[in-house]
């Protein structure tokens, strides 16, 4: 079936270039994007056209780092640094997901909220519990959220109530991977929580599974100074944090590393060389007082930075707010360092929030012709008229001034979900 959406279309073609299509049509056949055109082609006069008037049509968001079980604690408990915060707030919350029916209720709500916020693609941490992780994948798939979900591995440096033995972690990972076969739009990602949570034996197993099955990996890297010191202490043979993951075969172009706030130039060079994708989490870096990431510097070197909310270290599920927070944080970095090249442009921030994640998920940049459409409609038409405002500035203004209430349509994988 032929359909079309009409509006002011903006795509993230590269970190430095927006594709702008004022008052044009996204042309679809059975949910697959065929083209973006200024007029409806002659053979499409019968097509079902939805006209969004003067609103913006954007790529939907890729939230490439968040913790599903922590959604319920968003906006609370932000008075401790990372390692203490995990013990005081995150771990007790995650323990509740031992109960799959509790997980069902919470994850159903989370999946709905993601769609409401225009996030149709994710890379997400669950908990160490296999049943709840499968429930999460089911709820996401039903709501139309696509992407990656990981059962968390943690056999070390965690409380008794939220720790697996190494054998349990290995067996449960295999059992979970078996269960994942039922899903078509949500796929597994291996998820060593972070280096301190995993014994060398468990990391060895995960590296082997990754190599054998070609699975992606997600974890945390150089988020907080206390964490980095702890990693040095427990992995004394690794000179820098990234070398722990590298040593076990968990550091390549199919790897997402959340935060990278304190990554040295050597660590950044290693990410560039291996194609590892840092996930910038501006809200969380501020809330947990982790630091201000050199994200502009990383992007300018050609590192494929993605963006994440890191709920619930981060205070919002909104990727619009996350774009705004990222731009603000990059200016704080400039103020602190005097290095103006740290400042993120809207082109870079929108790209990191959309196309960067898409490329990690194997979809290509921008509105991908020949693939199922992922898009949102952002209605800014109630904002004061600013004569001559460009589409670029409307995108920037939207990030700072709008939220889920202004996202009036969401199309995921070719299907309208809002
Ligand atoms: N490092 C290890 N676990 C976590 C977590 O749950 N949140 C954040 N922000 N960092 C982590
Ligand atoms: Fe995190």
């Amino acid at each position: 079936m032929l359909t079309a959406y009409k509006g002011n279309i903006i795509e993230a073609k590269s970190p430095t270039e927006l594709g702008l299509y004022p008052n044009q049509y996204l042309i679809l056949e059975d949910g697959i994007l065929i083209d973006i055109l200024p007029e409806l082609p002659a053979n499409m006069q019968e097509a079902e056209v939805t006209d969004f008037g003067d609103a913006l049509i954007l790529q939907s968001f890729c939230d490439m780092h968040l913790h599903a079980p922590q959604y319920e604690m968003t906006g609370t408990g932000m008075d401790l640094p990372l390692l203490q915060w995990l013990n005081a707030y995150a771990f007790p919350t995650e323990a509740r997901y031992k109960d799959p029916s509790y997980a069902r209720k919470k994850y159903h709500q989370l999946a709905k909220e993601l769609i409401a916020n225009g996030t149709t693609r994710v890379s997400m941490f669950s908990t160490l519990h296999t049943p709840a992780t499968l429930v999460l994948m089911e709820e996401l798939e039903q709501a139309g959220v696509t992407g990656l979900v990981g059962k968390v591995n943690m056999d070390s440096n965690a409380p008794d109530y939220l720790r697996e033995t190494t054998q349990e972690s290995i067996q449960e990972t295999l059992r979970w991977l078996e269960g994942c076969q039922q899903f078509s739009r949500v796929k597994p990602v291996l998820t060593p929580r972070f280096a301190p949570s995993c014994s060398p034996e468990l990391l060895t197993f995960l590296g082997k599974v990754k190599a054998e099955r070609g699975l992606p990996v997600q974890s945390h890297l150089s988020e907080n100074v206390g964490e980095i010191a702890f990693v040095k202490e427990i992995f004394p043979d690794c000179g820098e944090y990234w070398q722990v993951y590298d040593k076990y075969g968990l550091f390549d172009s199919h790897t997402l590393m959340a935060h990278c706030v304190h990554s040295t130039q050597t660590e950044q060079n290693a990410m560039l060389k291996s194609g590892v994708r840092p996930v910038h989490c501006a809200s969380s870096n501020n809330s947990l007082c982790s630091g201000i990431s050199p994200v502009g510097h990383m992007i300018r070197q050609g590192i494929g930075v993605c963006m994440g909310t890191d709920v619930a270290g981060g205070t919002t599920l909104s990727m619009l707010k996350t774009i705004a927070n990222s731009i603000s944080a990059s200016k704080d970095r400039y103020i602190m360092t005097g290095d103006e090249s740290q400042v993120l442009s809207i082109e870079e921030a929108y790209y990191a929030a959309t196309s960067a994640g898409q490329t990690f998920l194997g979809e290509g940049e921008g509105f991908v012709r020949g693939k199922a459409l992922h898009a949102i409609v952002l209605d800014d038409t109630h904002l004061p008229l600013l004569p001559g405002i460009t589409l670029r500035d409307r995108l920037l203004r939207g990030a700072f001034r709008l939220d889920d209430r202004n996202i009036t349509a969401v199309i995921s994988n070719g299907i309208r979900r809002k």
Side-chain angles (χ1 to χ4, degrees):
M1 192 175 81
L2 291 169
T3 51
Y5 296 113
K6 185 170 186 229
N8 293 303
I9 302 163
I10 307 179
E11 70 174 335
K13 289 174 93 158
S14 80
T16 52
E17 193 190 355
L18 297 173
L20 303 172
Y21 310 88
N23 212 17
Q24 298 204 22
Y25 296 86
L26 286 161
I27 311 279
L28 312 182
E29 186 167 5
D30 298 329
I32 308 287
L33 178 64
I34 306 300
D35 210 348
I36 304 178
L37 297 173
E39 306 285 346
L40 272 189
N43 67 342
M44 281 199 64
Q45 298 310 319
E46 302 293 299
E48 185 187 302
V49 178
T50 310
D51 187 348
F52 292 107
D54 196 35
L56 306 176
I57 303 182
L58 310 178
Q59 289 163 243
S60 64
F61 299 113
C62 298
D63 186 345
M64 298 306 280
H65 182 73
L66 73 161
H67 298 261
Q70 295 173 17
Y71 177 56
E72 63 183 75
M73 53 185 263
T74 307
T76 69
M78 293 182 288
D79 52 350
L80 292 171
L82 177 64
L83 299 179
Q84 290 92 322
W85 175 84
L86 286 172
N87 282 308
Y89 305 116
F91 291 161
T93 303
E94 292 190 17
R96 291 200 274 275
Y97 289 75
K98 189 174 190 308
D99 173 2
S101 65
Y102 183 83
R104 172 80 61 194
K105 255 196 308 229
K106 299 289 176 167
Y107 289 157
H108 183 76
Q109 187 188 7
L110 171 64
K112 259 192 357 208
E113 290 290 318
L114 282 164
I115 291 293
N117 278 281
T119 299
T120 68
R121 289 153 300 189
V122 295
S123 187
M124 197 182 260
F125 284 48
S126 172
T127 57
L128 55 74
H129 312 103
T130 299
T133 305
L134 293 170
V135 164
L136 172 60
M137 296 172 87
E138 212 176 290
E139 288 296 331
L140 292 175
E141 188 147 294
Q142 270 169 22
V145 182
T146 66
L148 303 170
V149 168
K151 173 226 170 305
V152 172
N153 292 102
M154 43 198 298
D155 71 344
S156 307
N157 299 302
D160 290 345
Y161 65 81
L162 195 71
R163 191 179 62 233
E164 317 157 292
T165 65
T166 309
Q167 266 323 303
E168 276 165 359
S169 192
I170 291 172
Q171 275 160 16
E172 287 303 299
T173 300
L174 294 172
R175 185 161 85 95
W176 162 62
L177 289 173
E178 203 50 46
C180 288
Q181 289 175 15
Q182 63 186 294
F183 305 113
S184 57
R185 303 269 169 238
V186 182
K187 299 288 180 189
V189 50
L190 297 174
T191 307
R193 181 173 202 120
F194 64 158
S197 299
C198 297
S199 64
E201 190 185 346
L202 184 52
L203 291 169
T204 304
F205 161 78
L206 292 170
K208 197 164 144 268
V209 174
K210 174 181 167 53
E212 283 171 4
R213 307 196 185 195
L215 291 170
V217 171
Q218 61 179 355
S219 194
H220 295 87
L221 177 64
S222 297
E223 176 177 2
N224 161 288
V225 290
E227 169 210 21
I228 294 167
F230 189 39
V231 171
K232 261 201 162 58
E233 197 182 304
I234 56 181
F235 293 95
D237 60 324
C238 294
E240 287 198 327
Y241 193 162
W242 66 277
Q243 291 174 303
V244 178
Y245 299 119
D246 193 43
K247 177 176 174 180
Y248 294 99
L250 301 167
F251 202 75
D252 66 19
S253 61
H254 300 289
T255 306
L256 293 166
M257 283 289 157
H259 301 283
C260 304
V261 175
H262 300 282
S263 292
T264 61
Q265 189 59 54
T266 330
E267 191 161 276
Q268 292 177 43
N269 292 345
M271 289 192 276
L272 183 60
K273 187 155 168 250
S274 56
V276 163
R277 314 292 294 270
V279 188
H280 178 52
C281 304
S283 170
S284 169
N285 296 343
N286 178 274
S287 295
L288 302 184
C289 299
S290 299
I292 308 171
S293 159
V295 59
H297 180 63
M298 289 198 275
I299 289 174
R300 307 287 153 71
Q301 294 170 78
I303 298 174
V305 177
C306 300
M307 204 177 270
T309 59
D310 193 30
V311 154
T315 56
T316 177
L317 203 61
S318 164
M319 287 294 285
L320 279 174
K321 279 199 167 51
T322 303
I323 289 173
N325 288 335
S326 299
I327 293 173
S328 296
S330 75
K331 290 182 176 173
D332 292 340
R333 178 100 188 175
Y334 163 41
I335 294 164
M336 304 276 300
T337 61
D339 175 5
E340 196 173 355
S341 75
Q342 298 283 348
V343 177
L344 278 190
S345 64
I346 184 62
E347 284 85 355
E348 289 166 331
Y350 178 49
Y351 183 90
T354 57
S355 291
Q358 289 176 201
T359 59
F360 185 82
L361 296 169
E363 287 174 26
E365 296 163 307
F367 281 116
V368 190
R369 282 71 167 172
K371 292 257 165 87
L373 181 70
H374 285 269
I376 64 169
V377 174
L378 185 64
D379 192 344
D380 65 351
T381 53
H382 62 290
L383 292 176
L385 194 67
L386 180 63
I389 188 169
T390 60
L391 282 185
R392 176 192 188 271
D393 270 0
R394 285 174 66 185
L395 176 63
L396 178 65
R397 180 177 68 170
F400 279 90
R401 297 188 61 173
L402 302 179
D403 58 33
D404 59 309
R405 290 166 296 187
N406 312 106
I407 295 177
T408 52
V410 176
I411 297 114
S412 178
N413 207 48
I415 298 167
R416 186 154 176 192
R417 297 286 184 163
K418 180 180 180 178

